[in-house]
């Protein structure tokens, strides 16, 4: 975390000087500045050279179009964002307006300029409202998402979106678009420009809380396994601590468990390559039974489907499935019909996605708490922008209780007391189940209220806006309505402002600060109180025995001890999450290295890079050598079988001694290659490129799918006291080497056995073997 550095202060003073001059410009002259700036950038000036003037122009445009002139702290924030800092700005300080300054400046470059935000509502709202400023100044702006999440944009629509000077979108939409852009089959279908500048709104939520959740695109179905039922029953026969251990949201077999598994499945080695599928399904079943809880991690619908729950937001994640067979293992556990398991064809984490941007900045109301991790993972420094007005919100010391019954009772009493005065109350809980319980208790007290569970960001934003009006009571999860300002209604300041009551100790202090920040915006009055108990979700790490002793059996425990335990649990949970994120970076860096190589090769092929004929013939030769070395004893029948499967559908005897098998097959492959070249003439290089692209895609899909499964299954090796990351890296290296061999084999097979026809406009159509 840094104080304002000299460079930011120097640029700020320059902006303030320029503001004096632009006030006198006409609308036409102000718009004309955009054309001038673009010319100067093309002539060799940098964005930093023109920053003071460009910021001054955008400030004036903000005022003329929106009626809002950025405050000094917003100008400071805009400069810090352009310099690629992660900025902490208090809730209500106007981050949306702040972002217009660096977005306008970088939009002048003609390179991609993107802002990602928490949900579709905010992306569409900000593109529409702030877009008026950019359009006034002559830049194009668009939203990369639609209100209807079921509406799918085609490649031409996406090309139009990403061609805009400034794009507002969500982090999820951007991530999936990046993956889809690298799955297209021709360069004409690509719709994204090279990444350049990005601002991440609610950056701590994206870069920390959601960072290790991979974005996965599933494709062709895998052959359905029959092991789910068998391993599910096996897992139900295990005894905790004897056959398996649960620790810190991980589960693995003990030595006794491994021996029992070997007897049960009648195998000699659970960890051998041939038994990988059994191990994978055992691990999946263990996790489904002992790590995934119904109504906490997922719900079962009336239609008999598993719907995942986002624990941080309380939102149902309709349409999303756990990868690598985890979803099917839960379905088996709940005795539901097992859905079709899909292969993962592309995957990336937010950490690696945002590290692809040469210039990445972010803003949030609570990002300073994660400064060390952000520096380590993203190499980004955090800077705190001071508030425009001193904060006068009253943060009452937390209340600690032994049981949730006492906790909820105290919350409701406080709500009733404040509601009688007319003061607006916002109750914020971590879990959906807690919001539902609060709602029932409020109904019993005859208090009208709204319940927001982050199910629909559009109407929730409209409701949360009214949470600061007199007599209004709102119940929400921590993420519901995030990004929407709560304005105080008439007479509310005199009542003490908005009262925020937090229920339950949250996973980290950032979430709690975010909740408190709903009150007391821009120097307004407000109050926040948190109510915690030993039955909060973070306290599950204390263990069932401990909680049973003090809660069910009523053993005495002091308030001081309760406070110490609850705060310790939060610290452990936060540290555990940070460790998991770091671990995720290490695991995903393996796939990132492979992905970089594969996407670079793929893009070269799409861009028309022709393959060297000598190299192709060498690959033909290597394929034969690999075949001969792994098949020492070959007769004429097997030689002919290899030719029919890999080189040609028609056998032709060559004038050569068949006893020299290697030379014979090498000569035959070259003979088949030259025949295909002669047949296709000048279209042969294009044909080879398409055949290679097909082999590359098929091989990479298998590799991505394998690495996804490997990461899940390898945790079962904990008992072997091995370094799991090292094991994963070693296996990944070996699988990449195997993939390279399989791609080389497939590309030559495609070239030699592919059948070509020509469609409209002489388009090449290939039927692959």
């Amino acid at each position: 975390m840094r104080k304002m550095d000299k460079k930011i202060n120097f640029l700020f003073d320059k902006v303030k000087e320029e503001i004096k001059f632009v006030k006198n410009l006409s609308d036409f002259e102000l718009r004309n500045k955009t054309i001038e700036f673009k010319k100067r950038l093309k002539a060799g000036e940098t964005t930093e050279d023109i920053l003071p003037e460009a910021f001054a122009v955008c400030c004036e445009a903000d005022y003329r179009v929106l009626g809002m002139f950025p405050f000094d702290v917003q100008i400071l924030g805009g400069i810090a964002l352009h310099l690629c800092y992660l900025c902490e700005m208090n809730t209500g300080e106007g981050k949306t307006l702040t972002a217009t300054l660096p977005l306008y400046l970088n939009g002048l470059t003609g390179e991609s300029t993107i802002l990602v935000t928490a949900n579709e509502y905010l992306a569409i709202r900000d593109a529409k409202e702030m877009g008026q400023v950019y359009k006034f100044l002559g830049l194009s702006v668009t939203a990369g998402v639609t209100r209807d999440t079921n509406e799918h944009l085609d490649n031409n629509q996406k090309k139009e979106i990403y061609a805009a000077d400034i794009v507002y979108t969500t982090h999820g939409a951007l991530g999936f678009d990046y993956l889809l852009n690298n799955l297209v089959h021709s360069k004409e279908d690509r719709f994204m420009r090279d990444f350049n500048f990005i601002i991440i709104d609610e950056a701590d939520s994206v870069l920390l809380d959601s960072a290790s959740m991979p974005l996965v695109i599933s494709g062709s179905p895998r052959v359905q396994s029959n092991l789910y039922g068998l391993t599910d029953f096996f897992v139900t026969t295990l005894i905790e601590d004897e056959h398996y251990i649960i620790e810190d949201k991980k589960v693995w077999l003990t030595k006794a468990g491994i021996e029992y598994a070997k007897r049960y499945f009648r195998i000699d080695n659970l960890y051998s390559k041939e038994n990988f599928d059994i191990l994978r399904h055992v691990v999946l079943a263990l996790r489904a039974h002992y790590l995934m809880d119904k109504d906490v991690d997922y719900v079962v619908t009336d239609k008999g489907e598993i719907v995942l729950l986002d624990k941080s937001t309380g939102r149902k994640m309709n349409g999303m499935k756990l990868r690598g067979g985890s979803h099917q293992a839960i379905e088996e556990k709940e005795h539901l019909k097992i859905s079709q398991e899909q292969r993962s064809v592309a995957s990336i984490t937010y950490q690696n996605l945002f590290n692809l941007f040469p210039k990445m900045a972010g803003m949030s109301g609570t990002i300073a708490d994660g400064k060390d991790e952000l520096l380590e993972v993203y190499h980004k420094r955090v800077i705190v922008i001071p508030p425009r007005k001193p904060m006068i919100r009253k943060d009452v010391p937390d209340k600690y209780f032994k049981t949730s019954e006492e906790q909820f009772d105290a919350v409701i009493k406080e709500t009733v007391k404040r509601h009688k005065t007319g003061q607006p109350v916002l109750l914020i809980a971590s879990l959906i189940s807690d919001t539902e319980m609060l709602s029932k208790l409020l109904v019993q007290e005859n208090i009208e209220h709204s319940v927001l569970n982050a199910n629909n960001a559009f109407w929730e934003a409209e409701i949360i806006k009214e949470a600061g009006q007199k007599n209004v009571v709102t119940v929400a999860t921590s993420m519901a309505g995030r990004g929407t300002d709560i304005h105080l209604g008439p007479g509310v300041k005199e009542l003490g402002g908005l009262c925020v009551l937090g229920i339950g100790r949250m996973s980290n202090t950032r979430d709690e600060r975010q909740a408190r920040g709903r009150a007391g915006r821009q120097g307004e009055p407000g109050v926040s109180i948190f109510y915690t108990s030993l039955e909060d979700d973070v306290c599950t790490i204390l263990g069932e025995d401990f909680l049973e002793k003090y809660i069910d059996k009523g053993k005495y425990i002091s308030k001081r001890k309760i406070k110490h335990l609850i705060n310790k649990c939060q610290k452990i949970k936060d540290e555990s999450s940070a460790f998991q994120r770091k671990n995720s970076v290490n695991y995903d860096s393996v796939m990132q290295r492979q992905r970089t190589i594969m996407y670079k090769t793929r893009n070269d092929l799409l861009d028309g890079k022709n393959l060297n004929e000598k190299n192709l013939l060498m690959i033909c030769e290597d394929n034969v050598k690999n075949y001969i070395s792994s098949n020492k004893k070959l007769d004429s029948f097997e030689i002919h079988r290899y030719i029919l499967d890999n080189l040609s559908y028609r056998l032709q005897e060559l004038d050569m001694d068949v006893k020299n098998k290697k030379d014979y097959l090498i000569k035959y492959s070259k003979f088949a290659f030259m025949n295909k070249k002669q047949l296709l003439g000048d279209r042969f290089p294009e044909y080879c490129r398409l055949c290679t692209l097909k082999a590359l895609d098929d091989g990479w899909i298998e590799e991505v799918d394998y690495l996804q499964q490997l990461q899940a299954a390898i945790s079962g090796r904990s008992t072997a006291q091995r370094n799991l990351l090292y094991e994963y890296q070693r296996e990944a290296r070996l699988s990449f080497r195997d993939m390279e061999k399989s791609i080389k084999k497939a590309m030559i097979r495609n070239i030699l056995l592919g059948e070509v026809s020509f469609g409209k406009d002489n388009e090449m159509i290939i039927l692959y073997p």
Side-chain angles (χ1 to χ4, degrees):
M1 187 169 65
R2 293 169 54 119
K3 293 179 181 178
M4 220 60 64
D5 64 20
K6 288 179 182 177
K7 189 173 187 179
I8 292 175
N9 284 324
F10 171 77
L11 288 169
F12 172 75
D13 291 338
K14 290 282 187 186
V15 173
K16 294 294 280 185
E17 282 176 31
E18 292 295 336
I19 283 170
K20 296 171 189 173
F21 299 115
V22 298
K23 283 184 184 295
N24 301 319
L25 298 177
S26 67
D27 284 359
F28 176 78
E29 288 171 324
L30 198 65
R31 288 193 193 99
N32 241 26
K33 279 289 184 182
T34 297
I35 299 167
E36 179 197 318
F37 293 147
K38 286 184 175 181
K39 284 179 181 174
R40 286 166 60 182
L41 287 169
K42 279 184 182 174
E45 286 191 61
T46 66
T47 49
E48 209 167 292
D49 293 332
I50 67 167
L51 184 149
E53 293 170 78
F55 269 42
V57 165
C58 192
C59 284
E60 184 63 24
D62 284 337
Y63 177 67
R64 293 188 191 183
V65 176
L66 303 173
M68 297 185 286
F69 198 95
F71 298 116
D72 287 356
V73 291
Q74 291 173 312
I75 296 170
L76 285 167
I79 295 168
L81 287 171
H82 175 72
L83 297 177
C84 296
Y85 283 104
L86 298 173
C87 301
E88 174 164 304
M89 293 179 73
N90 282 358
T91 303
E93 289 293 315
K95 292 187 281 292
T96 307
L97 190 67
T98 299
T100 60
L101 306 175
L103 287 174
Y104 170 66
L105 174 59
N106 285 275
L108 294 166
T109 63
E111 297 183 78
S112 79
T113 300
I114 299 170
L115 183 141
V116 290
T117 190
N119 55 52
E120 289 81 5
Y121 165 77
L122 293 173
I124 293 168
R125 181 199 72 180
D126 295 349
K128 185 180 177 183
E129 292 180 8
M130 302 299 120
Q132 298 173 72
V133 176
Y134 310 124
K135 286 172 184 174
F136 172 81
L137 290 170
L139 294 184
S140 57
V141 61
T142 188
V145 289
T146 58
R147 181 168 182 142
D148 181 3
T149 52
N150 294 318
E151 183 184 340
H152 295 290
L153 302 169
D154 61 34
N155 283 10
N156 288 330
Q157 290 171 307
K158 287 182 180 179
K159 194 177 285 186
E160 202 174 310
I161 287 167
Y162 287 104
D165 294 315
I166 296 163
V167 178
Y168 281 83
T169 188
T170 64
H171 40 81
L174 179 71
F176 283 120
D177 280 348
Y178 169 74
L179 294 175
L180 290 168
N181 193 57
N182 283 286
L183 291 173
V184 297
H185 296 295
S186 69
K187 65 178 181 180
E188 290 76 25
D189 289 334
R190 283 190 300 211
F191 50 82
M192 290 187 113
R193 295 189 284 166
D194 290 342
F195 289 156
N196 178 44
F197 179 70
I198 190 166
I199 296 176
I200 305 164
D201 192 17
E202 306 292 359
D204 56 338
S205 174
V206 178
L207 298 179
L208 297 176
D209 302 331
S210 303
S212 55
M213 175 69 75
L215 300 166
V216 180
I217 291 178
S218 297
S220 52
R222 185 185 286 115
V223 175
Q224 194 73 319
S225 169
N226 61 356
L227 287 171
Y228 289 110
L230 189 64
T231 51
D232 185 82
F233 182 76
F234 164 72
V235 160
T236 61
T237 67
L238 301 178
I239 301 166
E240 187 173 355
D241 294 332
E242 183 181 338
H243 295 126
Y244 68 91
I245 293 170
I246 302 172
E247 190 177 291
D248 195 21
K249 286 300 269 182
K250 289 181 181 176
V251 59
W252 63 84
L253 294 175
T254 61
K255 284 183 180 178
I258 293 168
E259 291 302 316
Y260 176 43
K262 282 157 64 175
R263 293 195 303 275
Y264 187 91
F265 295 106
R266 298 179 184 179
I267 54 177
D268 295 325
N269 184 359
L270 182 60
Y271 296 104
S272 64
K273 198 165 187 176
E274 59 269 23
N275 294 323
F276 175 78
D277 248 10
I278 293 174
L279 170 63
R280 181 172 81 91
H281 282 79
V282 167
V283 172
L284 292 173
L286 279 168
R287 288 179 172 176
H289 276 273
Y290 306 122
L291 300 185
M292 301 296 289
D293 296 321
K294 187 178 176 182
D295 296 328
V296 176
D297 298 291
Y298 64 90
V299 292
V300 179
T301 68
D302 296 337
K303 295 179 181 177
E305 295 174 344
I306 298 292
V307 176
L308 301 176
L309 296 176
D310 184 337
K311 287 179 77 172
S312 67
T313 66
R315 184 184 288 131
K316 286 182 182 177
M317 299 191 286
N318 291 307
M320 291 191 72
K321 286 190 172 186
L322 292 168
R323 68 193 191 280
S326 296
H327 210 87
Q328 287 71 23
I330 296 172
E331 288 168 336
E332 182 64 51
K333 166 193 168 184
E334 297 293 344
H335 308 295
L336 303 172
K337 183 182 177 184
I338 295 182
S339 60
Q340 178 64 57
E341 191 180 345
Q342 302 281 313
R343 278 194 183 94
S344 299
V345 300
S347 170
I348 195 168
T349 60
Y350 287 126
Q351 286 136 325
N352 278 315
L353 174 68
F354 292 120
N355 277 330
L356 293 171
F357 283 84
K359 295 170 69 181
M360 184 258 278
M363 51 188 184
S364 170
T366 52
I367 202 165
D369 291 349
K371 63 184 185 299
D372 296 334
E373 187 179 345
L374 290 162
L375 181 62
E376 184 180 353
V377 175
Y378 299 97
H379 315 295
K380 290 289 172 188
R381 297 194 179 277
V382 172
I383 194 164
V384 176
I385 307 297
R388 187 170 67 90
K389 292 180 179 177
M391 191 186 72
I392 60 169
R393 184 186 68 233
K394 210 174 153 192
D395 294 328
V396 177
D398 297 348
K399 310 285 185 184
Y400 295 89
F401 301 92
K402 187 160 76 168
T403 68
S404 59
E405 189 179 341
E406 296 169 313
Q407 175 188 21
F408 278 81
D409 186 50
V411 170
I412 296 301
K413 279 180 181 172
E414 187 70 24
T415 304
V416 170
K417 183 179 92 176
R418 291 183 180 269
H419 181 61
K420 280 179 181 175
T421 70
Q423 185 177 15
V425 180
L426 174 61
L427 296 102
I428 298 180
S430 302
L431 303 174
I432 290 179
S433 54
D434 287 348
T435 62
E436 290 169 349
M437 175 59 71
L438 287 165
S439 180
K440 285 176 185 173
L441 294 171
L442 288 170
V443 168
Q444 288 173 14
E445 297 291 337
N446 293 316
I447 294 177
E448 286 186 18
H449 61 281
S450 302
V451 182
L452 311 181
N453 283 334
N455 284 320
N456 187 316
F458 289 88
W459 64 260
E460 284 178 358
E462 297 304 314
I463 292 172
I464 207 84
K465 278 180 186 176
E466 304 303 313
Q469 304 301 310
K470 252 187 180 180
N471 296 307
V472 170
V473 175
T474 312
V475 181
T477 55
S478 55
M479 286 295 286
R482 193 168 174 178
T484 305
D485 276 345
I486 300 173
H487 295 277
L488 300 185
V492 171
K493 283 185 183 179
E494 292 73 17
L495 295 170
L498 177 67
C499 174
V500 171
L501 303 180
I503 297 88
R505 178 60 81 234
M506 295 184 178
S507 299
N508 56 64
T509 54
R510 285 181 293 101
D511 285 349
E512 290 178 7
R513 284 182 62 207
Q514 190 72 234
R516 292 184 198 275
R518 295 293 184 88
R521 57 185 294 282
Q522 292 196 6
E524 290 174 342
V527 64
S528 73
I529 316 171
F530 262 79
Y531 294 78
T532 66
S533 81
L534 288 174
E535 291 189 89
D536 290 346
D537 193 47
V538 294
C539 294
T540 53
I541 60 172
L542 292 171
E544 287 182 16
D545 292 344
F546 178 90
L547 294 173
E548 184 185 357
K549 183 167 51 176
Y550 288 102
I551 294 166
D552 295 343
K553 295 182 180 176
K555 187 176 178 183
Y556 172 77
I557 183 170
S558 69
K559 288 275 185 186
R560 188 177 173 185
K561 177 80 169 172
I562 292 172
K563 178 179 177 179
H564 171 73
L565 285 171
I566 292 172
N567 292 341
K568 184 182 176 184
C569 287
Q570 183 187 51
K571 190 180 178 188
I572 292 170
K573 184 104 175 180
D574 201 12
E575 288 171 352
S576 172
S577 297
F579 175 76
Q580 285 173 16
R581 289 193 293 268
K582 190 176 177 184
N583 217 25
S584 172
V585 172
N586 292 334
Y587 275 100
D588 199 53
S589 65
V590 175
M591 187 181 280
Q592 177 65 9
R593 286 195 292 272
Q594 296 189 11
R595 183 167 45 232
T596 302
I597 294 167
M598 297 301 288
Y599 284 0
K600 170 74 168 63
T601 307
R602 197 175 191 282
N603 282 329
D604 286 345
L605 289 169
L606 285 178
D607 289 331
K609 183 178 180 181
N610 285 332
L611 297 153
N612 186 299
E613 201 172 294
K614 270 188 182 178
N615 288 343
L616 289 173
L617 289 169
M618 280 177 65
I619 292 170
C620 287
E621 195 170 315
D622 289 342
N623 287 347
V624 170
K625 286 176 181 175
N626 287 333
Y627 173 71
I628 296 291
S629 65
S630 56
N631 297 274
K632 299 291 184 187
K633 295 178 182 178
L634 293 170
D635 56 25
S636 296
F637 173 79
E638 286 163 325
I639 292 287
H640 288 157
R641 187 71 262 162
Y642 178 82
I643 291 169
L644 290 169
D645 287 343
N646 296 280
L647 308 180
S648 173
Y649 289 134
R650 293 181 183 177
L651 277 173
Q652 287 180 262
E653 289 298 330
L654 300 184
D655 183 22
M656 192 170 183
D657 182 7
V658 78
K659 288 177 183 175
N660 191 338
K661 302 176 186 74
K662 184 176 74 172
D663 290 344
Y664 182 80
L665 287 176
I666 288 170
K667 185 174 180 182
Y668 204 111
S669 63
K670 288 180 179 178
F671 167 76
F673 186 89
M674 298 315 290
N675 274 356
K676 187 68 80 168
K677 181 184 176 184
Q678 190 176 358
L679 180 70
L680 291 170
D682 58 3
R683 300 291 295 273
F684 186 63
E686 179 194 353
Y687 171 73
C688 290
R689 195 162 43 80
L690 292 172
C691 288
T692 302
L693 192 63
K694 168 69 174 165
L696 199 76
D697 285 348
D698 289 346
W700 180 236
I701 285 170
E702 290 296 330
E703 177 71 354
V704 169
D705 190 51
Y706 175 70
L707 290 180
Q708 294 278 350
Q709 293 181 59
L710 179 65
Q711 192 173 338
I714 209 161
S715 63
R717 300 185 183 182
S718 297
T719 50
Q721 299 299 309
R722 294 170 175 170
N723 183 318
L724 298 187
L725 179 60
Y726 171 77
E727 288 283 307
Y728 178 75
Q729 289 170 332
R730 187 176 66 83
E731 297 269 5
R733 277 197 303 272
L734 292 173
S735 71
F736 190 76
R737 204 176 302 155
D738 290 343
M739 180 192 69
E740 284 181 314
K741 285 182 185 176
S742 70
I743 287 174
K744 286 178 179 178
K745 182 180 175 183
M747 63 189 277
I748 298 302
R749 191 166 179 266
N750 288 347
I751 290 169
L752 300 184
L753 299 182
E755 294 183 13
V756 184
S757 59
F758 296 93
K760 287 181 182 179
D761 303 322
N762 211 22
E763 179 194 357
M764 189 178 284
I765 300 165
I766 305 170
L767 180 65
Y768 294 103

